[in-house]
Amino acid sequence: MKIIIVYDNEALREGLKADWGFSCLIEPENGQRILFDTGASGSILFHNLERLNIGPCAIPEVFISHAHWDHTGGLLDLLKLNKEVKVYIPSSCPKPPGAGKLVSITGPVQIHENVFSTGELNGIEQSLVIRAREGLAVITGCSHPGVRAILQAASSFGKVDALIGGLHGFREFDLIRDLKLVCPCHCTQFKSEIRRLYPEKSLDCGAGKVLEI
C-alpha cells in the first residue's frame, strides 16, 4: 500500500505548496484510490495533485474525516471537476453540494475489502483503517476524539501497526509504543517529543512524502 501526503502544513518536495490543512492519497494493493480529506484550499490541492502527477478526475473516492474547513476546503472544487467521485462523510458532516454519490457513516463499517471506517467517534470525526501487509494502518484527520478512542475503535478490525495523520494535542505517548510506524502530520502539537521518544519509527510528514506500508 502506498500513501502520498498531498496537503500538509509542511512541504517536503520542491514545487509543492504547504498550507494549514491535510489530505493524502491512499493506494491500497489491489484496490482503488481514496483521497483522504481535501485540505483547506482547492487551488492548493489541485496544484499539489498536478505536481504529484495525480489527476483529480482519476480519484474515484473521497473520505472526509470531519467537517472542519481545513479538511473539506477543497471538496467543492473537486466535486465540480469530478462529478463521479463517491464521498464518504461522518454523519454529523453537512451534505456537500454537488455530491451525487454520498455515503453518510455513523458506526464502524467495511468500505471495501481491507478498507474500513472507525465510524464517527464522539459525534465529530471518523478515521480510515486499511489492512496492509504488516497489519492495520490508521489514517486520522485531527484526532479530535482522542488517539486512545481511535486506536480502540480501529483495533476491532485487527492489530494496529501504523498511525498516520493529525494527532492534535496527543500526549499519551505510551499508546504508540508498540506501533511499528508513526507519521505525525498537520495539527500535531508534540511532533518533536514523538520523534525524541520513538526515533526509530517516527517519520517526518509533509506534502510530497510517500509511505509504502
Side-chain angles (χ1 to χ4, degrees):
M1 178 180 69
K2 183 185 292 186
I3 299 173
I4 305 168
I5 306 299
V6 176
Y7 203 117
D8 191 66
N9 303 15
E10 302 178 40
L12 299 182
R13 178 168 161 178
E14 186 176 356
L16 298 182
K17 294 182 178 180
D19 185 45
W20 183 267
F22 186 67
S23 176
C24 65
L25 184 73
I26 296 119
E27 297 182 339
E29 289 187 16
N30 305 317
Q32 61 185 5
R33 289 172 158 180
I34 302 172
L35 186 68
F36 180 99
D37 287 344
T38 61
S41 161
S43 62
I44 293 176
L45 176 69
F46 289 160
H47 171 88
N48 287 355
L49 286 172
E50 181 180 6
R51 290 300 181 104
L52 292 166
N53 296 314
I54 301 166
C57 291
I59 296 171
E61 296 187 343
V62 173
F63 183 97
I64 295 296
S65 63
H66 62 297
H68 291 176
W69 62 274
D70 48 337
H71 296 260
T72 62
L75 181 58
L76 295 186
D77 289 333
L78 181 63
L79 289 173
K80 290 175 185 176
L81 192 64
N82 183 350
K83 299 185 184 303
E84 298 302 314
V85 69
K86 188 174 187 178
V87 182
Y88 299 91
I89 60 172
S91 57
S92 65
C93 184
K95 179 180 178 180
K101 301 176 182 178
L102 187 68
V103 179
S104 181
I105 293 177
T106 301
V109 65
Q110 181 171 347
I111 294 174
H112 298 294
E113 183 179 6
N114 298 323
V115 181
F116 311 88
S117 168
T118 59
E120 185 177 57
L121 302 177
N122 293 354
I124 187 171
E125 185 174 343
Q126 63 175 340
S127 295
L128 191 64
V129 183
I130 307 205
R131 185 172 289 120
R133 285 169 290 183
E134 299 298 323
L136 297 180
V138 178
I139 297 99
T140 64
C142 277
S143 298
H144 289 295
V147 171
R148 181 183 294 275
I150 292 169
L151 292 178
Q152 286 177 343
S155 67
S156 67
F157 303 112
K159 184 178 182 296
V160 177
D161 279 337
L163 179 64
I164 300 149
L167 306 180
H168 234 302
F170 167 66
R171 300 186 70 171
E172 294 182 90
F173 303 122
D174 284 351
L175 291 176
I176 57 177
R177 182 188 338 177
D178 296 329
L179 300 184
K180 295 180 179 178
L181 182 152
V182 180
C183 186
C185 304
H186 177 40
C187 59
T188 308
Q189 295 177 29
F190 300 105
K191 290 181 183 178
S192 59
E193 186 68 6
I194 293 171
R195 293 190 193 104
R196 185 186 69 80
L197 290 170
Y198 304 109
E200 74 287 352
K201 61 186 174 188
S202 179
L203 302 180
D204 291 336
C205 187
K209 179 76 172 184
V210 178
L211 300 91
E212 297 201 29
I213 302 174

